[in-house]
Amino acid sequence: ENKKYIVVRQQEVMDKKHTSAGEFSQREIHGTSGRDTNDYPKEYYKSGVLNTELDTVIPFAYNSIHIYRNYYFIGGWSNFKVLNENLKRLTPHTLDSAKVITQPFSGLWYHTTAGFSGVLDKEGNQLFKELPLWIQPLATNLFVAKINSKYVFLNKKLKKVHDFSFNSFELINPNTVVFQIGQQHKESKGLINTKGKILLPAEYANISYNQRNQVYIVQTKEYKTGLLNNKLKTIVPFEYDFIKEGRESDLFLVRKDKKYGFINAKGEMVIDTMYNGADVFSEGLAPVLENGKWGFINEQGNIVIDFKFDGRLISFQNGYATHYKDNQSVFINKKGEMIGEPKKGNIHYFS
């Protein structure tokens, strides 16, 4: 993401004579599962950063370095530091959590290992005053605080908005937050707007938002799924086993009575529930199963790649679909041709 620098992972080997057991236990070891820990040499990885001239600007001394939106997250899962795109450290404190946010501030929200929270811009300037608690702003008048491993909603005066606590939350669009309550395997979800008003009570198995078509996909505790508009009015009644959004497509995959088809955001049936299997539309095509064979159709329901594949097909991504059969997988191009020979396990395309 940042063309100035390159993150590199370097494999190293550790000999027994150079390392004590205490030192070794602090290393991040890869590929030793099922092996006697007394076997040597040991392989491990360290990450560093190079500039475009391939000079080392951050030494290979870290177990993990990740880049996200031009921020560098350096260190372990719950003990790391953050640098900006110019490799300037944004805060002298070590962090146990951080995320890039866009509202009500555009910057980096963080929580330190010492228990303080705040928001910084890319130069390290404080956008949200650092407070001695876990607190994240979601909007001008809505905040989330973490107390005893549970979350609560607060207003700008840091007073509780509602009496209940919840397990997790997600800002799914600029005006709406989905929250989850309940014990494990008995969770339920609801919606609250950024003014603190409950829009849907926490009575649903799942709630997500399709930004492209601006509709909510809502599943009941009885595992029936429907679509709601931005005013939370029903577009598609709760009659499908599931509704799954496509990738850069206005069509949603649905299943009813063990048959698959496709609807649009208006609730209109575009391709009838006639197939025995299917995946979502991606890059204009969707894999469907008919009479025991897989093929591809376009968004008009026309066959583009004939029904000739056994096993299973997964939607196109970066120009390739994936064909699975007998614990092997292979890429398929848009002519329906296999690219190379099937390989054992699950192959992936990395762009």
Side-chain angles (χ1 to χ4, degrees):
E1 294 182 54
N2 188 330
K3 296 181 180 179
K4 296 180 182 178
Y5 303 106
I6 307 165
V7 175
V8 179
R9 293 183 75 217
Q10 178 174 283
Q11 184 180 24
E12 300 184 20
V13 176
M14 185 183 302
D15 293 325
K16 184 175 183 179
K17 63 182 180 180
H18 293 134
T19 311
S20 69
E23 291 172 331
F24 188 79
S25 65
Q26 297 175 23
R27 303 282 189 174
E28 180 187 5
I29 307 300
H30 296 260
T32 60
S33 177
R35 289 167 47 187
D36 186 343
T37 56
N38 291 321
D39 290 343
Y40 284 87
K42 301 288 187 181
E43 295 178 356
Y44 66 99
Y45 294 84
K46 290 295 180 180
S47 297
V49 177
L50 309 179
N51 61 20
T52 53
E53 285 75 39
L54 301 184
D55 300 319
T56 300
V57 292
I58 294 179
F60 289 83
Y62 299 96
N63 293 336
S64 175
I65 299 179
H66 296 287
I67 308 175
Y68 180 68
R69 295 189 182 179
N70 289 331
Y71 290 97
Y72 291 77
F73 299 85
I74 301 177
W77 174 251
S78 59
N79 190 347
F80 58 92
K81 58 185 178 182
V82 180
L83 282 61
N84 67 12
E85 61 185 339
N86 297 314
L87 302 187
K88 173 188 174 183
R89 188 167 179 176
L90 294 183
T91 171
H93 306 294
T94 55
L95 310 178
D96 62 20
S97 56
K99 67 173 70 171
V100 179
I101 62 173
T102 57
Q103 67 176 61
F105 310 100
S106 180
L108 183 82
W109 171 87
Y110 65 89
H111 183 255
T112 72
T113 54
F116 289 78
S117 299
V119 179
L120 300 170
D121 67 15
K122 289 189 175 182
E123 297 304 316
N125 301 309
Q126 206 77 40
L127 299 176
F128 175 64
K129 180 182 177 181
E130 194 172 79
L131 296 174
L133 72 160
W134 196 109
I135 183 169
Q136 180 187 334
L138 297 179
T140 304
N141 196 40
L142 189 68
F143 301 78
V144 171
K146 190 176 185 180
I147 303 172
N148 297 327
S149 300
K150 291 285 188 178
Y151 298 101
V152 294
F153 289 115
L154 306 178
N155 61 23
K156 62 183 178 182
K157 296 181 179 180
L158 303 187
K159 301 293 183 182
K160 288 181 67 174
V161 177
H162 298 282
D163 290 333
F164 64 86
S165 60
F166 48 99
N167 309 325
S168 63
F169 67 95
E170 181 185 359
L171 185 71
I172 56 175
N173 64 46
N175 302 307
T176 315
V177 180
V178 60
F179 61 93
Q180 179 178 280
I181 66 171
Q183 299 178 349
Q184 189 175 14
H185 306 305
K186 295 182 180 180
E187 299 94 344
S188 57
K189 294 184 178 182
L191 287 180
I192 185 172
N193 67 17
T194 50
K195 296 180 180 180
K197 179 182 178 182
I198 299 294
L199 302 177
L200 288 178
E203 298 175 352
Y204 297 90
N206 197 34
I207 302 173
S208 61
Y209 187 71
N210 177 252
Q211 186 67 47
R212 181 184 177 96
N213 293 283
Q214 298 187 359
V215 293
Y216 294 92
I217 305 172
V218 181
Q219 187 177 59
T220 69
K221 287 287 190 67
E222 292 74 35
Y223 297 103
K224 292 299 180 182
T225 311
L227 291 183
L228 308 181
N229 65 17
N230 270 338
K231 296 182 179 179
L232 300 178
K233 301 298 182 182
T234 300
I235 305 172
V236 175
F238 294 90
E239 60 183 27
Y240 293 103
D241 299 326
F242 66 76
I243 299 176
K244 189 176 180 181
E245 64 184 69
R247 302 191 195 113
E248 298 181 358
S249 173
D250 293 326
L251 299 187
F252 297 79
L253 172 65
V254 298
R255 186 180 72 187
K256 184 178 181 181
D257 299 328
K258 299 182 179 180
K259 293 289 186 178
Y260 296 78
F262 297 87
I263 63 173
N264 62 23
K266 297 177 182 179
E268 300 167 337
M269 183 63 68
V270 178
I271 298 172
D272 287 338
T273 49
M274 56 186 286
Y275 296 106
N276 297 317
D279 198 5
V280 299
F281 272 100
S282 179
E283 301 182 15
L285 300 175
V288 291
L289 176 66
E290 185 176 68
N291 298 323
K293 299 287 186 179
W294 286 87
F296 282 88
I297 59 172
N298 61 21
E299 294 188 350
Q300 290 71 47
N302 300 319
I303 299 171
V304 176
I305 298 175
D306 289 337
F307 294 91
K308 60 182 180 180
F309 297 98
D310 297 317
R312 185 185 176 203
L313 285 177
I314 301 297
S315 300
F316 278 95
Q317 188 173 6
N318 300 304
Y320 298 99
T322 309
H323 177 227
Y324 295 91
K325 183 181 178 183
D326 299 331
N327 199 32
Q328 293 184 319
S329 56
V330 65
F331 287 132
I332 304 292
N333 65 20
K334 291 186 177 180
K335 296 180 180 179
E337 301 166 335
M338 290 188 181
I339 306 301
E341 297 296 324
K343 303 293 184 182
K344 185 176 181 179
N346 186 12
I347 57 174
H348 297 276
Y349 182 93
F350 295 95
S351 61

